[in-house]
Amino acid sequence: MLPVALPFLCLQPLVENAVKHGLEGKADKCHIQITAQDAGAEALVVIEDDGAGMDPGLLRRILAREVSPTGGIGLSNVDDRLRQVYGDDHGLVIETAVGAGMKITVRLPKYQPGVHLAGRLTPR
Ligand SMILES: Nc1ncnc2c1ncn2[C@@H]1O[C@H](COP(=O)(O)OP(=O)(O)OP(=O)(O)O)[C@@H](O)[C@H]1O
Ligand SMILES: [Mg+2]
């Protein structure tokens, strides 16, 4: 399989959010799962937490940059950059509800010209 090109700093803000916001409000423990899977012409990276979740309507308005309750830029910045690199249909896919955690799917086309790997591959 080809190595998958991952645009710079696309996962870190999402994992940071799962740690930072996942614990908001409720439990003293939150599980975070990160999986990468081959899906034909794409690789899917899924970041999922079982924490606080959020109102999907508010999320939509944050991604549309209509509101920013915390002044945060993490989510919308990753979403914008993925759209810039891969096209408008490759923004973040987010499933969430209040109290129901958050599941974010990043879809990375495997055969996209012009996307460079971050870092070097070292033979093993
Ligand atoms: N995993 C998550 N669980 C619950 N709420 C989340 C999660 N990720 C994001 N959010 C909500 O979405 C909002 C926007 O996230 P975003 O990353 O853009 O901003 P931020 O984390 O507040 O600030 P920063 O710019 O430091 O990332 C957060 O303030 C939070 O309310
Ligand atoms: Mg954030």
Side-chain angles (χ1 to χ4, degrees):
M1 194 182 136
L2 288 174
V4 175
L6 186 62
F8 186 62
L9 271 183
C10 276
L11 300 186
Q12 190 277 347
L14 309 181
V15 177
E16 181 183 300
N17 279 347
V19 175
K20 188 168 141 187
H21 304 298
L23 286 174
E24 269 166 12
K26 65 156 220 177
D28 56 357
K29 197 184 266 183
C30 167
H31 301 89
I32 301 167
Q33 180 171 285
I34 306 170
T35 48
Q37 55 185 292
D38 191 350
E42 295 180 338
L44 303 182
V45 183
V46 178
I47 300 104
E48 186 165 15
D49 72 69
D50 61 356
M54 71 183 293
D55 170 24
L58 175 60
L59 173 64
R60 207 171 305 115
R61 297 183 67 206
I62 288 174
L63 289 175
R65 294 185 184 267
E66 291 169 12
V67 295
S68 180
T70 62
I73 53 159
L75 265 185
S76 44
N77 183 268
V78 171
D79 186 55
D80 284 352
R81 286 189 296 122
L82 287 171
R83 288 173 195 274
Q84 274 167 21
V85 174
Y86 296 122
D88 251 347
D89 57 340
H90 279 82
L92 296 173
V93 177
I94 308 182
E95 297 158 64
T96 189
V98 174
M102 186 173 280
K103 178 180 177 183
I104 305 184
T105 303
V106 179
R107 292 167 45 228
L108 303 168
K110 285 194 279 191
Y111 310 105
Q112 185 83 1
V115 177
H116 301 290
L117 289 172
R120 259 186 316 199
L121 290 176
T122 318
R124 317 176 52 186

